[in-house]
């Protein structure tokens, strides 16, 4: 299996590196073959994925011809570079380059160069640099910008302590006056009633007899004078 197929199968996820996954588009280190992974003697990586701005992803692996991979027919003991369409589903893969020590390959649609610094068959290690120049040490992490000093946080303004409202002063209770004992009533002896003398009966006054007055004389009719004949001659 080439690098593209091994990545798709997910057999070596604990020894894979994808550039750009952590914001770093550069890598430098040791790459080992499949047989080293199979026997557990591995400190480096097995696969490297390089995404591009185009439609393809590129894969790098060390095709060490030993152990379970002793029967490989092409590119034995070389660093192989393959490509396939971006994605995780089925796709046709293509072998793009077979690199020996000091060999390099520029990844299309990127500014990256894959360079094999050395291949040590006794330790089953290929030392590789993937960077803009491909040179050793060119993949040193960039110096991050200085972290600005933290802005001092002003101390929090203490919340005002409310003045406690004094408890109302209660006037002393008015003493309850002791009840004045009511003196027992003095029973006065009721004097015996004095019998008053009976009121004498009134003496009736005699009604005087009426006095007989002399009779009123009958009125005397006054004679009416006769009328004076008209006309009356008055003196001149």
């Amino acid at each position: 299996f080439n690098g593209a197929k091994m990545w798709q199968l997910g057999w070596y996820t604990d020894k894979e590196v994808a550039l750009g996954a952590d914001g770093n588009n550069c890598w430098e280190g040791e790459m080992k073959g499949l047989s080293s992974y199979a026997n557990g003697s591995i400190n480096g990586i097995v696969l490297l994925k390089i995404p591009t701005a185009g439609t393809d992803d590129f894969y790098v692996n060390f095709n060490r011809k030993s152990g379970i991979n002793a029967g490989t027919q092409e590119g034995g003991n070389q660093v192989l570079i393959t490509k396939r369409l971006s994605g995780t589903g089925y796709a046709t893969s293509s072998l793009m380059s077979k690199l020996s020590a000091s060999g390099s390959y520029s990844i299309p649609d990127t500014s990256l160069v894959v360079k094999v610094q050395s291949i040590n068959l006794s330790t089953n290690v290929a030392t590789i640099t993937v960077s803009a120049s491909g040179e050793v040490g060119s993949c040193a992490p960039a110096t991050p910008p200085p972290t600005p000093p933290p802005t001092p946080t002003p101390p929090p303004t203490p919340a005002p302590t409310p003045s406690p409202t004094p408890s109302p002063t209660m006037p002393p209770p008015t003493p309850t006056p002791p009840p004045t004992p009511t003196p027992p009533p003095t029973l006065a002896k009721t004097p015996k009633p004095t019998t008053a003398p009976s009121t004498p009966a009134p003496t009736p006054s005699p009604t005087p007899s009426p006095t007989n007055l002399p009779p009123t004389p009958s009125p005397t009719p006054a004679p009416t004078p006769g009328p004076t004949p008209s006309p009356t001659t008055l003196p001149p």
Side-chain angles (χ1 to χ4, degrees), residues 10-95:
W11 289 346
Y12 311 105
T13 53
D14 59 330
K15 295 298 178 179
E16 296 174 349
V17 171
L19 294 189
D22 57 357
N24 186 7
N25 289 318
C26 180
W27 186 85
E28 183 175 24
E30 293 182 349
M31 182 173 283
K32 293 191 174 182
L34 302 182
S35 59
S36 296
Y37 185 89
N39 63 28
S41 59
I42 186 169
N43 294 320
I45 67 170
V46 172
L47 283 171
L48 178 67
K49 177 181 178 181
I50 306 174
T52 72
T55 59
D56 297 319
D57 292 335
F58 286 75
Y59 301 84
V60 182
N61 72 291
F62 178 35
N63 191 30
R64 177 71 172 101
K65 190 176 182 178
S66 66
I68 62 172
N69 197 45
T72 185
Q73 299 297 313
E74 185 176 10
N77 297 327
Q78 289 183 300
V79 174
L80 306 183
I81 300 177
T82 55
K83 75 170 184 177
R84 56 153 285 165
L85 288 174
S86 300
T88 57
Y90 174 81
T92 301
S93 58
S94 302
L95 178 62

